[in-house]
Amino acid sequence: MTICDLRTDAVLRVEFADGSDGKVGLRELLLRAHEITDLALTMPPAFAGALRVLYVIAARVTGLDKIVDAGGDPGDEWQQRRNEALRRGRFVGAEVDKYLETHSSRWNLFCARWPWWQDPRLGEQAELKSSNTFDIRRPDDNKPIWWRHTHKGHAPDLSVTDALELLLIHHYYGSGGTGGTRTVGQTRSQHMSAGPLRSTVTFYPLGANLFETLIAGIPSPAFGADLTGEDLAPWETTDLHDPLGVPPEPTWPARLLVGQSRHALLLTPDPTGEAVVGCHLTWGWKHKHPPLRDPYSIEERNSQGEWKPRRASADRALWREVDALLADRETTQRPAVLSSALSLPDDMLDRLRIRAVGFDQDRKATNNAWSTSVTPPIIRYLDEFDPARANGAEALTTAAKEVATAMINELRKAYRALGNGSSAKSDKEAPWVQPAQRWFWPRAEDLFWRSLAEADFAEPHRAFQRIALGAITEATRPVADSPAVAREVTKAKRALTKFVASKNPRPRKEKPGGN
């Protein structure tokens, strides 16, 4: 039997405190979590999946998966136990071994009966696909070839480490629409539902080491107060679920974090167990999962008054999300896990950063771009600690967006006035827009973080105006020697200045001798 024991085989990429990278098994990762700076995954969406799996395991081995009735607020009691775990500074070896041994038959990635987080029935129920279908970085077997020259006749094997990251990505960000055909009883279908995090951006506390990161990221039972009941992770169950049945109600913390996948997978290893050569990838459920709010998402209120997770955008940098992370607003609510962070120890609050994981996708099968980025320590800027900075962040992001929009509109008008297009409504029709934005946004980000650190929120539109004027100059520089262009650019700058003055008006100076 081909074996890949996740507990002991070195398949998880990590970064150690001395700056070196390496691979470890799950047991070593947990026992050395206080010596590991961070995960070192190569595919950003895998961070979201890996962290959620590790949150569940961390909660199990520390007892933070239980609510203790101590006669008071269970949330307060849980926070005290969490802080005690943080003061210990590491996972207890005996508890780690106890948990890993309790489910000893479930950690083999290629086990014929219980492959980790896979469905062994797919070998008979679904069609085998090549590694190209499984690897979302490649064109599928019959898709056009662009930068990666793989095709139906050329499907290179995948390393086990890469395959594990891709397994997590499919569980959380898997495509909807047409997939692999699966036959269960009289039901034969190839329709898949999109993964629970598809097309979203999510946020995770990041501590000084992996141990802090995992403990700080476990969602409070206050979030899962109505999610009580038998709570089992996929690798803790004793029965395979009925794919035609109704998914179980979400429970805290396991089913909340690792029980929402819509896909079913089964990896095919090579004879050595050192590579993956193909997979079965298809639907895992036909009925919908019960609705659930994710504790790591910014929630936005749509026009119907419904709360929905914020979608990822390849064009939107992390700093433009910060205002929604620091405070709840009328139309946005910050991730619940940040509210859980309010009671962390003071020294940890001073150093805790936030990792964003975004995957710009459509709801079906198109993957546009993924990203991960990290904020400076900003927990102290939460509304409960520093409302002035929380409100200032909103003022800065709003001003940047409005100034950028005005800049784009004026550039389009200027280009249209030269007779270069009847509408110039798109960036393609107004070629100055993209260069201006490439100049504007990185400098706007620098200004945002500097202003936030210095608590300088006076006249935010005027602050971003200087950058926008420079962006207009740079974008039009190649044709600036044309008198007609110079005339329209001057008009654009005047119009932008007038707009900014309307947003940040200054008091009129009184004339000498006036009353």
Side-chain angles (χ1 to χ4, degrees):
M1 179 179 69
T2 303
I3 294 177
C4 176
D5 191 333
L6 297 180
R7 296 173 300 175
T8 55
D9 288 5
V11 295
L12 302 168
R13 296 184 178 101
V14 297
E15 177 187 334
F16 293 102
D18 63 4
S20 63
D21 292 339
K23 293 182 183 179
V24 297
L26 182 57
R27 183 176 185 275
E28 184 178 358
L29 179 145
L30 294 169
L31 295 181
R32 299 183 64 187
H34 58 289
E35 302 173 6
I36 295 172
T37 302
D38 197 4
L39 300 174
L41 309 182
T42 60
M43 291 173 256
F47 276 99
L51 286 172
R52 290 165 190 252
V53 169
L54 293 172
Y55 290 151
V56 172
I57 296 173
R60 296 289 197 239
V61 301
T62 57
L64 292 174
D65 60 335
K66 298 176 177 63
I67 302 175
V68 177
D69 185 2
D73 186 332
D76 290 344
E77 190 276 337
W78 182 88
Q79 291 167 357
Q80 292 174 10
R81 285 190 288 123
R82 178 186 61 180
N83 290 351
E84 289 172 5
L86 287 168
R87 281 191 287 272
R88 284 196 299 272
R90 62 173 63 192
F91 292 112
V92 178
E95 295 301 323
V96 169
D97 289 339
K98 179 180 177 181
Y99 179 73
L100 295 179
E101 287 304 315
T102 298
H103 308 286
S104 59
S105 64
R106 304 299 296 276
W107 302 106
N108 181 1
L109 196 63
F110 303 132
C111 177
R113 183 167 182 264
W114 288 114
W116 186 80
W117 208 353
Q118 298 162 73
D119 193 328
R121 298 168 294 186
L122 299 188
E124 297 179 354
Q125 295 179 350
E127 55 190 326
L128 179 64
K129 297 286 189 178
S130 78
S131 57
N132 291 342
T133 298
F134 182 57
D135 190 345
I136 61 177
R137 299 167 298 180
R138 305 177 184 176
D140 203 348
D141 284 341
N142 296 316
K143 297 280 181 68
I145 295 172
W146 294 103
W147 304 114
R148 290 182 178 266
H149 290 194
T150 56
H151 50 80
K152 190 171 184 178
H154 177 55
D157 298 346
L158 287 161
S159 70
V160 173
T161 297
D162 280 353
L164 184 58
E165 289 190 30
L166 289 163
L167 178 74
L168 294 169
I169 291 172
H170 280 288
H171 274 308
Y172 287 97
Y173 298 92
S175 62
T178 301
T181 300
R182 181 181 189 180
T183 302
V184 180
Q186 300 302 310
T187 300
R188 179 178 173 83
S189 173
Q190 59 180 353
H191 177 75
M192 301 191 300
S193 300
L197 298 185
R198 187 167 183 85
S199 75
T200 64
V201 56
T202 48
F203 304 88
Y204 306 89
L206 181 60
N209 55 56
L210 185 58
F211 175 78
E212 285 189 357
T213 294
L214 296 183
I215 299 302
I218 300 171
S220 164
F223 178 84
D226 57 343
L227 307 180
T228 57
E230 185 182 43
D231 181 60
L232 298 174
W235 56 89
E236 297 172 342
T237 60
T238 56
D239 297 302
L240 295 169
H241 77 273
D242 177 7
L244 300 178
V246 177
E249 291 292 323
T251 50
W252 172 86
R255 283 184 177 147
L256 167 68
L257 299 181
V258 296
Q260 305 301 308
S261 174
R262 301 294 301 169
H263 288 58
L265 301 98
L266 180 63
L267 303 181
T268 302
D270 71 359
T272 68
E274 296 180 356
V276 170
V277 300
C279 75
H280 299 78
L281 173 59
T282 184
W283 53 273
W285 297 91
K286 278 301 168 192
H287 289 282
K288 292 182 178 181
H289 275 76
L292 182 69
R293 293 181 68 176
D294 185 76
Y296 306 97
S297 296
I298 293 173
E299 297 284 332
E300 295 182 313
R301 193 193 299 272
N302 63 20
S303 57
Q304 288 76 44
E306 302 169 321
W307 291 100
K308 298 291 183 181
R310 176 167 285 181
R311 292 178 63 89
S313 172
D315 298 326
R316 189 178 177 90
L318 170 59
W319 68 272
R320 297 176 66 188
E321 315 284 4
V322 168
D323 65 313
L325 295 176
L326 297 183
D328 291 335
R329 314 280 181 195
E330 184 177 344
T331 57
T332 63
Q333 290 189 347
R334 70 186 179 205
V337 72
L338 297 188
S339 296
S340 301
L342 293 173
S343 59
L344 288 169
D346 286 344
D347 61 330
M348 191 168 175
L349 290 174
D350 292 334
R351 62 177 178 267
L352 199 66
R353 297 166 293 160
I354 299 171
R355 169 188 280 118
V357 178
F359 201 169
D360 188 329
Q361 307 168 287
D362 69 8
R363 292 300 296 171
K364 290 191 176 181
T366 302
N367 300 320
N368 297 319
W370 59 36
S371 64
T372 182
S373 50
V374 176
T375 71
I378 60 170
I379 298 298
R380 285 295 190 187
Y381 299 164
L382 290 176
D383 189 49
E384 288 81 354
F385 296 130
D386 194 338
R389 272 197 172 90
N391 291 330
E394 182 183 31
L396 289 168
T397 51
T398 299
K401 180 180 178 180
E402 291 179 349
V403 170
T405 299
M407 175 189 72
I408 291 169
N409 289 339
E410 295 307 324
L411 282 172
R412 287 175 176 161
K413 289 179 185 177
Y415 189 76
R416 185 168 62 245
L418 295 170
N420 294 319
S422 59
S423 62
K425 292 180 180 179
S426 71
D427 297 347
K428 183 177 180 180
E429 294 167 338
W432 296 334
V433 170
Q434 287 298 333
Q437 292 198 92
R438 286 195 295 270
W439 172 272
F440 178 85
W441 285 114
R443 291 161 178 80
E445 178 174 4
D446 291 342
L447 174 60
F448 171 84
W449 288 119
R450 186 168 64 252
S451 299
L452 192 63
E454 297 172 358
D456 181 5
F457 311 119
E459 299 185 321
H461 289 79
R462 291 186 185 274
F464 289 109
Q465 173 195 350
R466 290 188 288 273
I467 300 174
L469 293 175
I472 292 174
T473 298
E474 290 300 316
T476 59
R477 187 181 297 280
V479 289
D481 57 349
S482 165
V485 171
R487 181 184 66 247
E488 297 305 327
V489 166
T490 299
K491 288 182 181 178
K493 290 182 176 181
R494 286 175 179 168
L496 178 63
T497 301
K498 184 177 180 181
F499 167 79
V500 168
S502 72
K503 290 293 183 177
N504 293 157
R506 289 177 174 169
R508 284 186 173 183
K509 293 182 179 180
E510 291 188 5
K511 294 181 180 180
N515 295 324

